[in-house]
Amino acid sequence: MAIIEDHSKSPAPDHLVDPIAVAIRTREPRDPGRSGHFTTTDPRRGRDLAKSPLVTRLLKDRRLQFFLILPNQIIFWLVIVVGLVGTAVPGLNFATAITWYLWFCLVFVMMVGVGRAWCAMCPFGGFGEWLQRRSFFQRRHVSLGLGLKMPEKVAQYGFLLSVGSFLLLTWIEEYFNIAGPGNPMATSFMVLGIVGTATVFFLTFERRTFCRYVCPLSALIGSVGAMGAVAGFRTRDREVCQSCTTKDCMRGDADGYGCPWYTWPGSADSNATCGLCTECFKSCPSNNIGLYVQAPLTSVVAPTRRRADIAWAVALLFGLVLYQQLNALTLFSHLDSWLNSHTGFPQYPNPIDYLGVIGLVAVGLALLSRVFTSLFARPDFQPRPGGRAFVDRTSRFRSFFVPLMYAIIPVVGADYFARQLPKFLQHFPRVLVSVGHLVGAGSTSSGLYNASLMASNRGIIAVQVGVVVLGTLASVWTTWRIASRDLVPVSRAPRTTRVSAVVMTVGLGVLVSVLYVLMNAAD
Ligand code: SF4
Ligand code: SF4
Ligand code: SF4
């Protein structure tokens, strides 16, 4: 394994600025050093927490992220070991109980509340990064591994790679009934597989290439996390960045690493790719970085440079959670069995209906956007002042599809959260029993093992539908705001466009709610 120099003072390659944004032809500056490339809008960033001297001291401390990651690192290695050598009873085994009755639910709470909070403390990325940096928290100038860049041809797909790995992991999880939960060893192998893959990527590619492009959770956290109240680390004054010659936030300096997520804080207008690692805060020589909190949903509504890969990620992720809802229905399980018997596939889930439903939902949403385009697009609209009018179908379609997919993020996020609730509400007490079992105290006959936070199916359905209703209301608000800002200028019937977009959002919320009623609290 090579030890490579950290060329922290060499010019920042274009690749680091934001290859995805360049690839999808947004107005992201290719070279942050060239002035005059900022968009004129500077989205509201909210309140800067780092103005407090106490918070500043904390964020400047190089040990901060290490101490956030350490407890989770210990728990996850415990999960791996206990899953392999502990009891085979899933509800009693610490590995399965904490992973499927608590962790997955908690990650959703964190992403809806804070955005990439989990990424700041994630053991998968943390372990690979410690190895790559050859350090737990000190700033070192040589790193371990090959330090390759993700080829631009691959990087241009942005979050779609992460969606692909999430779909693959979910299919494997369903096939082996890992989250059922089934055999605890399967949970260990799954966690080991993620840690192992992450480590290989960290030692092959530079920085957090794995997190930015490949991690199965990254697209979900990056898109649904836009609902969160943390805007992330952003520049305080963009004028200062325009005249900054060092760009230490991207290249790194003696105090901090260059942004591991390839995010330039000077141009960020959402929290999608800020892993809250604090490195830019440490390295900016002009003290021009703040940690901003904002009103929830701001990062859904505010971005001026919307990304097509995020829009497709939302559509595909919605397809996945709808598939999971559908497959809890008896009718659908018959379809899966029928497909298996005709294709010779051994068991659920048949890849044809798995990918078919996900693809159908994404294509259905795209077709819906196509209908919007046909009905409402202004043929003479110029996407940019002085630019060409809509001349091709793709740009017309994108002008409706991308904003509409951002608008439904809250209902998709609510759907994912509601999907996790039955396991949490029915079985959370088992987490406590499994902890006791580690020290020889818990058993399947204990009252706590058979207790639940909510036993009745009706109660669980009510909570699930309540969550979806809240998500739908939030989506109605984001749809109205996004339609007013992004769709009205491109529409020849602004009022009808806005109302139709809201009707679409409400329709999706109703569909999801009806499915939860039909699922009868199935987990
Ligand atoms: S992107 Fe994935 S691996 Fe990276 S920090 Fe976030 S959850 Fe962890
Ligand atoms: S954040 Fe700091 S280091 Fe980065 S461009 Fe702005 S002033 Fe320069
Ligand atoms: S360096 Fe700054 S912008 Fe980049 S991920 Fe870390 S906190 Fe976010």
Side-chain angles (χ1 to χ4, degrees):
M1 187 62 65
I3 292 177
I4 61 162
E5 295 271 341
D6 177 1
H7 299 287
S8 59
K9 290 298 175 189
S10 63
D14 286 351
H15 169 73
L16 299 184
V17 176
D18 198 336
I20 300 166
V22 171
I24 60 174
R25 296 179 195 167
T26 63
R27 275 168 279 173
E28 191 86 346
R30 240 186 125 70
D31 176 357
R34 289 166 62 192
S35 58
H37 279 247
F38 294 99
T39 52
T40 46
T41 49
D42 189 1
R44 279 179 302 140
R45 279 157 287 181
R47 190 158 164 248
D48 182 2
L49 292 183
K51 284 209 165 133
S52 147
L54 188 68
V55 175
T56 298
R57 220 172 44 238
L58 201 66
L59 297 177
K60 288 274 184 196
D61 193 325
R62 286 221 58 84
R63 294 165 300 180
L64 174 65
Q65 198 176 19
F66 170 75
F67 282 119
L68 287 176
I69 293 172
L70 186 63
N72 293 311
Q73 200 68 256
I74 293 168
I75 291 171
F76 269 74
W77 285 103
L78 196 60
V79 162
I80 289 169
V81 172
V82 175
L84 292 175
V85 302
T87 170
V89 181
L92 203 56
N93 189 297
F94 176 75
T96 33
I98 195 163
T99 305
W100 305 116
Y101 299 148
L102 180 63
W103 173 73
F104 220 58
C105 203
L106 260 187
V107 168
F108 280 98
V109 173
M110 273 193 262
M111 77 173 84
V112 169
V114 187
R116 285 203 182 265
W118 170 251
C119 292
M121 59 183 77
C122 167
F124 309 131
F127 183 72
E129 196 168 67
W130 291 348
L131 282 177
Q132 186 195 59
R133 291 179 174 174
R134 304 165 69 235
S135 145
F136 289 122
F137 48 80
Q138 294 97 335
R139 170 69 168 111
R140 291 202 195 279
H141 291 270
V142 285
S143 55
L144 189 63
L146 302 176
L148 302 180
K149 296 186 195 317
M150 182 65 107
E152 275 221 32
K153 278 195 174 153
V154 182
Q156 67 179 324
Y157 292 103
F159 278 172
L160 294 182
L161 300 173
S162 165
V163 172
S165 56
F166 190 55
L167 297 188
L168 178 65
L169 190 70
T170 307
W171 187 85
I172 292 171
E173 178 272 301
E174 298 271 0
Y175 188 86
F176 292 102
N177 187 29
I178 299 173
N183 187 338
M185 279 187 165
T187 295
S188 297
F189 288 133
M190 195 193 80
V191 176
L192 263 177
I194 298 173
V195 174
T197 311
T199 305
V200 168
F201 267 86
F202 271 86
L203 294 180
T204 307
F205 294 94
E206 62 174 9
R207 310 196 188 197
R208 282 191 178 243
T209 296
F210 177 77
C211 298
R212 176 83 193 228
Y213 301 111
V214 186
C215 169
L217 287 177
S218 193
L220 188 62
I221 301 181
S223 50
V224 171
M227 297 165 68
V230 171
F233 287 82
R234 309 242 181 116
T235 49
R236 288 174 170 146
D237 182 349
R238 291 192 174 193
E239 298 296 321
V240 175
C241 290
Q242 289 203 37
S243 55
C244 170
T245 53
T246 63
K247 302 290 184 294
D248 284 345
C249 58
M250 289 302 293
R251 294 174 186 153
D253 63 10
D255 298 320
Y257 289 90
C259 177
W261 288 72
Y262 311 116
T263 298
W264 184 42
S267 69
D269 66 355
S270 88
N271 58 6
T273 54
C274 176
L276 304 176
C277 71
T278 75
E279 292 298 339
C280 57
F281 189 80
K282 294 176 168 86
S283 59
C284 175
S286 311
N287 198 21
N288 192 29
I289 299 274
L291 170 56
Y292 290 90
V293 288
Q294 59 190 6
L297 305 176
T298 302
S299 281
V300 178
V301 174
T304 50
R305 301 179 302 270
R306 299 197 187 280
R307 289 172 36 175
D309 64 316
I310 290 188
W312 281 108
V314 171
L316 288 163
L317 291 171
F318 193 37
L320 175 59
V321 69
L322 280 182
Y323 166 83
Q324 291 185 321
Q325 289 188 269
L326 285 171
N327 79 26
L329 308 180
T330 317
L331 189 65
F332 195 85
S333 65
H334 289 330
L335 171 71
D336 196 76
S337 309
W338 180 84
L339 271 173
N340 285 339
S341 64
H342 283 76
T343 56
F345 199 75
Q347 65 176 68
Y348 162 88
N350 189 291
I352 296 174
D353 62 61
Y354 179 73
L355 292 175
V357 169
I358 295 166
L360 271 178
V361 172
V363 170
L365 289 169
L367 284 177
L368 210 54
S369 305
R370 184 79 185 79
V371 172
F372 271 79
T373 313
S374 308
L375 293 177
F376 305 125
R378 265 177 56 192
D380 59 336
F381 175 73
Q382 294 180 338
R384 260 167 257 181
R388 292 195 304 164
F390 274 159
V391 285
D392 62 273
R393 283 182 174 189
T394 310
S395 64
R396 264 208 298 269
F397 166 74
R398 185 180 287 174
S399 291
F400 280 82
F401 175 68
V402 175
L404 285 173
M405 292 306 100
Y406 270 74
I408 65 168
I409 284 176
V411 79
V412 176
D415 197 357
Y416 270 94
F417 182 50
R419 185 78 192 89
Q420 314 309 319
L421 284 173
K423 278 198 186 88
F424 174 72
L425 294 173
Q426 287 166 344
H427 301 306
F428 170 72
R430 291 184 181 179
V431 178
L432 308 175
V433 181
S434 72
V435 173
H437 188 72
L438 283 177
V439 289
S443 82
T444 51
S445 54
S446 77
L448 202 54
Y449 184 84
N450 297 301
S452 58
L453 297 178
M454 188 174 279
S456 101
N457 283 359
R458 279 189 175 194
I460 293 171
I461 294 168
V463 176
Q464 288 179 303
V465 172
V467 166
V468 175
V469 167
L470 281 179
T472 307
L473 290 175
S475 246
V476 166
W477 185 79
T478 54
T479 304
W480 188 260
R481 293 292 303 270
I482 289 173
S484 301
R485 197 194 68 189
D486 295 3
L487 298 187
V488 164
V490 300
S491 171
R492 59 182 171 222
R495 190 177 165 74
T496 319
T497 304
R498 273 187 298 203
V499 173
S500 307
V502 168
V503 169
M504 178 198 81
T505 302
V506 172
L508 295 178
V510 170
L511 169 71
V512 168
S513 303
V514 169
L515 283 175
Y516 277 118
V517 174
L518 296 176
M519 286 165 66
N520 196 27
D523 61 7

